[in-house]
Amino acid sequence: MQHQKILILDFGSQVTQLIARRVRDAHVFCEVHPCDVSDEWIRDYAKDGTLKGVILSGSHASIYEEATDKAPQAVFELGLPVLGICYGMQAMAWQLGGKVEGGHKREFGHADVRARGHTKLLENIQDYVTDAGEGMLKAWMSHGDKVTELPPGFKLMASTESCPIAGMADEARGFYALQFHPEVTHTKQGTAIIERFVLGICGTRQDWVMGDYIAEAVAKIQAQVGTEEVILGLSGGVDSSVAAALIHRAIGDQLTCVFVDHGLLRLNEGDMVMDMFVGKLHAKVIRVDAADQFLGHLAGVSDPEAKRKIIGREFVEVFKSEAGKLTASGASKNGAKWLAQGTIYPDVIESGGGKGKKAVTIKSHHNVGGLPEQLGLKLLEPLRELFKDEVRELGEALGLPHDMVYRHPFPGPGLGVRILGEVKKEYTDLLRQADAIFIAELHNFKDAETGKTWYELTSQAFAVFLPVKSVGVMGDGRTYDYVVALRAVQTSDFMTADWAELPYALLKKVSSRIINEVRGINRVTYDVSSKPPATIEWE
């Protein structure tokens, strides 16, 4: 099917993919491409008539610096609507004859934005009205530079106290720009604004639906793989599970799943994974007990990036070995030619691996890049362009159990990045028990208002092992034991997140159970940091 689409040009913002997610939420297909594509590429991309509009992302750069990327000029010559966001607004202003300067006061965080004029983009979209009758938006700002002079043909669309030009529009050409970020959840009307642009102004058809996407994805996998065989690193998490189900739907027994028990899994997880995939889905799964191998190489290593690289390296070794065994045993006639991974968009973004590779790296992911080259295998990543909620929708459409699809995310390196500092078996054993108690009580406690469990109401929850000891008292004796931190967040996109305001009774129960049942832990803390500025995981 040929989807009508929106093109998003990425200038390197960490939240560029949030723009794509908002567009996808409106059931409109979109693609993200680097901002430095050529004018010829833009014209070629638009020539089939499916392109309905363009969005320019934010960036950490300044548009007036000579070496800074600009938008391809052809974007403004297509005759299609264009929306500039933050840096995208500054690029639009600069390139169309306006002025941009470094601001004396940087805006970062919440801002009250006054909507001015009656443009199609903001008409009747507001959070509240002032006594003077002015429509106001509660928005999220993150900028130092600002537009100081409108380009010819533009009018003022929005302003804040410290940013007189917070929005501008040239409606004759369909050009709109916002200094604030409608893509983040902190902008209350952000979804409405993006939908207004994509559906109302661009007039794009809503034909991006996960249930319909299965046939497209299956056909694409079959075309890529042909009759060749695939191995997939199965973790038991949502992403690899959905990837496995989708690929199995496409090529059946050409897929062999390799489940690596690296000694960094949650309590009883290995057995649960095998029961689920072998017992219920009847997939081919090879279980590898590599705990000693991984823990041995992690001994004495404290740096989180170093730990991630070691874990990634050892995965390569395990897959090399298993691929060789498959060929030698005759289980794989010609040997696996493809490595399948459950990589999704947020993995790519946080590794600085957007298509333009312009984003600032926050942390590396073991399943992003590197593995196929070292293994000598081609890479199959059927979920690479999907967000977590789309992956879950796809999983349900594939018929996977609800509990599997809506299980909280678990990092590829497992407990290796939930143990701060050096990883020891003693620490993994303590953390496994504490984490299991926390998750169990989240399932047990229901919210009186919604009737849902707190596991359902949180997007990701887990315990973190802190390599410090604190003094405690148990009975009449003094203890000097370890500390764990509990982390629970609520988010719709995993790019921004708020800490979950769990009931005190729940936190009290979890703390009491951990301290009383896990010998070696005598103190429990709760993490009340949001993302940003923190990340969801601690490492």
Side-chain angles (χ1 to χ4, degrees), residues 165-458:
I165 304 177
M168 63 182 194
D170 178 347
E171 295 200 277
R173 290 187 284 179
F175 296 164
Y176 299 84
L178 302 169
Q179 187 57 67
F180 60 90
H181 288 267
E183 69 271 31
V184 302
T185 54
H186 302 302
T187 297
K188 302 300 182 184
Q189 298 295 329
T191 296
I193 291 170
I194 289 179
E195 286 186 355
R196 174 70 59 79
F197 177 74
V198 170
L199 302 177
I201 294 172
C202 297
T204 314
R205 185 172 60 229
Q206 293 176 283
D207 59 14
W208 178 251
V209 182
M210 283 298 101
D212 300 334
Y213 175 70
I214 293 174
E216 293 179 44
V218 165
K220 185 176 180 181
I221 292 167
Q222 290 172 340
Q224 276 184 280
V225 172
T227 59
E228 294 176 335
E229 298 191 33
V230 179
I231 59 171
L232 177 142
L234 181 63
S235 69
V238 177
D239 304 333
S240 67
S241 299
V242 174
L246 179 61
I247 297 167
H248 190 263
R249 171 80 65 94
I251 61 172
D253 285 346
Q254 288 170 243
L255 171 68
T256 300
C257 298
V258 178
F259 171 55
V260 180
D261 187 344
H262 49 25
L264 304 169
L265 298 172
R266 291 167 287 196
L267 192 65
N268 300 322
E269 188 162 24
D271 294 337
M272 289 188 290
V273 168
M274 294 303 292
D275 177 65
M276 185 180 299
F277 282 89
V278 178
K280 294 185 174 65
L281 297 182
H282 309 296
K284 290 197 298 185
V285 181
I286 297 171
R287 181 175 182 173
V288 183
D289 183 358
D292 291 342
Q293 177 180 337
F294 278 80
L295 292 174
H297 286 286
L298 288 168
V301 179
S302 298
D303 179 74
E305 277 298 288
K307 291 193 292 185
R308 286 176 179 271
K309 285 181 170 59
I310 288 169
I311 292 168
R313 183 192 72 208
E314 295 311 307
F315 265 109
V316 171
E317 294 305 314
V318 170
F319 279 112
K320 279 183 180 176
S321 174
E322 292 307 314
K325 289 178 185 176
L326 284 171
T327 304
S329 66
S332 174
K333 296 176 185 176
N334 303 307
K337 305 296 185 189
W338 294 82
L339 170 68
Q341 296 183 154
T343 307
I344 64 173
Y345 255 161
D347 299 335
V348 177
I349 301 159
E350 292 201 342
S351 295
K355 290 182 179 180
K357 297 190 180 297
K358 297 178 183 298
V360 176
T361 300
I362 295 175
K363 60 187 178 183
S364 65
H365 288 257
H366 81 275
N367 61 334
V368 179
L371 289 180
E373 290 83 356
Q374 296 181 55
L375 286 167
L377 299 175
K378 292 176 283 188
L379 183 59
L380 181 63
E381 293 178 315
L383 311 181
R384 186 181 178 88
E385 302 292 332
L386 302 185
F387 294 99
K388 181 68 73 172
D389 57 335
E390 291 179 318
V391 171
R392 289 191 166 116
E393 284 182 45
L394 182 61
E396 286 200 298
L398 285 164
L400 294 178
H402 181 86
D403 289 347
M404 178 200 299
V405 172
Y406 284 91
R407 192 179 188 194
H408 286 185
F410 188 60
L415 302 183
V417 291
R418 290 182 177 173
I419 295 170
L420 301 194
E422 183 181 4
V423 179
K424 297 181 180 179
K425 187 177 185 304
E426 173 196 2
Y427 300 167
T428 64
D429 291 341
L430 292 174
L431 181 56
R432 255 190 282 272
Q433 296 174 68
D435 186 77
I437 290 170
F438 185 29
I439 298 303
E441 293 303 333
L442 286 170
H443 279 293
N444 291 338
F445 268 73
K446 287 189 176 181
D447 175 60
E449 186 175 332
T450 64
K452 293 183 177 180
T453 68
W454 275 98
Y455 187 84
E456 294 173 291
L457 292 173
T458 52

Side-chain angles (χ1 to χ4, degrees), residues 102-115:
H104 298 296
K105 182 180 178 183
R106 186 171 184 264
E107 274 191 304
F108 180 79
H110 292 282
D112 289 314
V113 178
R114 178 184 170 188

